[in-house]
Amino acid sequence: MSATSPVRPVLPPDIRARKGGAPLVVLTAYSTPVARLVDAHCDITLVGDSVGMVIHGLPSTLGVTMEMMILHGRAVVRGSQKAMPVIDMPFGSYEESPQQAFRNASRLMAETGAPSVKLEGGQHMAETIAFLTARGVPVMAHIGLTPQSVNTLGGYKVVGRADEADKVMADARAVEAAGAFSVVLEKVPEGLAGRITKALAIPTIGIGAGVDCDGQVLVVDDMLGLFTDFRPKFVKRYAELGKDANAAIAAYAAEVRSRSFPAAEHSFPDVLPAKDKT
Ligand code: KIV
């Protein structure tokens, strides 16, 4: 960024205006260095509650707290210049009432500096989405497979086949009518995701929802090969950083044990050579 041409950060109306245009590129990030990498290439940086599983080793997203989202949200905002940070509202922070949702969404925005939040749910969250958007909280909705409901759904299943299709379409229409500026479709069959994308005036962002969505999102640790506990079908690995890191750590361990690290160039002599002032 130069003083004469400052980078203008992406905001929710910019995302909404991208409907039907070039595909929106979204990745998660949970730290400043990864947010910087994502910022250079993406439109949105999602501080997903997947942070609980990917970074904190939790078995699901249910144990994620407001404090975790604020800490990781701040780190991501610090690493973002252009791409828009979106902070996930954690399980239990918004479902009770629109007032509870506003209290926690406004806290996430005030304490992280992010301009928007994401929450899970369709028709049953429409009143809350309307309450938030009317009060200055831009909302990205998340329907289809909603991981915070894994126990009521009975697993991380595809949502929207056969009889379920009408409900997912109704969820999509409800969150749009309530004022969401975009909607994540997770593990929705590709044909249905295409029909929803055509039916809505707001962008759909797919994860396991086929190529016809207005954008795509992946968990960054999944696509970099850093999180390998399990691998959903929708994850494409663009790198194998976990394998590379394992090889690097093994090499370090072997060199420490054989005393080949540190070498002379990593050590400080007792007396400086005449020309070396370092
Ligand atoms: O928490 C998350 O990372 C998400 C994406 C998978 C959409 O919600």
Side-chain angles (χ1 to χ4, degrees):
M1 181 167 73
S2 79
T4 50
S5 59
V7 177
R8 180 182 167 284
V10 174
L11 290 171
D14 303 315
I15 299 300
R16 206 177 190 291
R18 290 277 298 274
K19 176 72 187 178
L24 288 159
V25 186
V26 187
L27 278 175
T28 66
Y30 318 108
S31 68
T32 303
V34 175
R36 285 194 185 118
L37 292 169
V38 170
D39 191 72
H41 302 281
C42 295
D43 301 297
I44 295 175
T45 309
L46 174 64
V47 189
D49 61 354
S50 49
V51 68
M53 299 169 81
V54 167
I55 301 295
H56 293 273
L58 294 173
S60 74
T61 57
L62 300 184
V64 174
T65 63
M66 282 287 292
E67 285 64 34
M68 287 160 77
M69 295 313 299
I70 289 168
L71 197 67
H72 291 283
R74 278 184 185 151
V76 166
V77 168
R78 266 181 232 126
S80 304
Q81 275 197 298
K82 169 186 70 68
M84 183 177 78
V86 177
I87 316 275
D88 252 345
M89 298 199 71
F91 180 62
S93 72
Y94 60 96
E95 300 89 335
E96 195 178 320
S97 65
Q99 288 76 7
Q100 182 214 23
F102 181 76
R103 212 165 33 251
N104 285 316
S106 58
R107 188 175 163 215
L108 286 175
M109 289 172 69
E111 295 190 26
T112 65
S116 58
V117 301
K118 175 165 84 59
L119 58 80
E120 296 183 7
Q123 295 161 85
H124 66 287
M125 291 310 301
E127 186 192 348
T128 294
I129 294 171
F131 191 90
L132 293 179
T133 53
R135 287 163 179 76
V137 179
V139 177
M140 175 183 282
H142 182 157
I143 62 170
L145 169 62
T146 45
Q148 292 174 8
S149 303
V150 61
N151 293 314
T152 43
L153 292 171
Y156 296 100
K157 300 172 177 167
V158 173
V159 176
R161 288 201 177 111
D163 293 353
E164 285 176 351
D166 287 349
K167 166 156 185 333
V168 179
M169 177 62 87
D171 283 341
R173 290 190 193 280
V175 299
E176 174 181 52
F181 69 87
S182 63
V183 57
V184 169
L185 307 180
E186 180 162 354
K187 267 194 151 180
V188 171
E190 55 187 347
L192 175 61
R195 290 196 296 284
I196 292 172
T197 301
K198 272 207 184 100
L200 298 194
I202 57 170
T204 59
I205 298 169
I207 175 162
V211 76
D212 291 332
C213 295
D214 295 300
Q216 299 291 332
V217 56
L218 283 178
V219 169
V220 73
D221 294 63
D222 283 340
M223 56 88 78
L224 293 178
L226 276 170
F227 181 76
T228 54
D229 291 8
F230 55 87
R231 180 174 172 184
K233 180 182 176 185
F234 56 73
V235 172
K236 177 173 175 182
R237 286 262 172 83
Y238 286 82
E240 292 292 351
L241 298 194
K243 284 185 186 154
D244 291 350
N246 185 55
I249 293 166
Y252 165 73
E255 290 191 6
V256 169
R257 291 192 178 107
S258 67
R259 295 195 183 278
S260 50
F261 176 84
E265 68 261 34
H266 311 117
S267 304
F268 301 93
D270 293 283
V271 179
L272 281 180
K275 284 189 204 149
D276 187 349
K277 300 286 181 209
T278 60

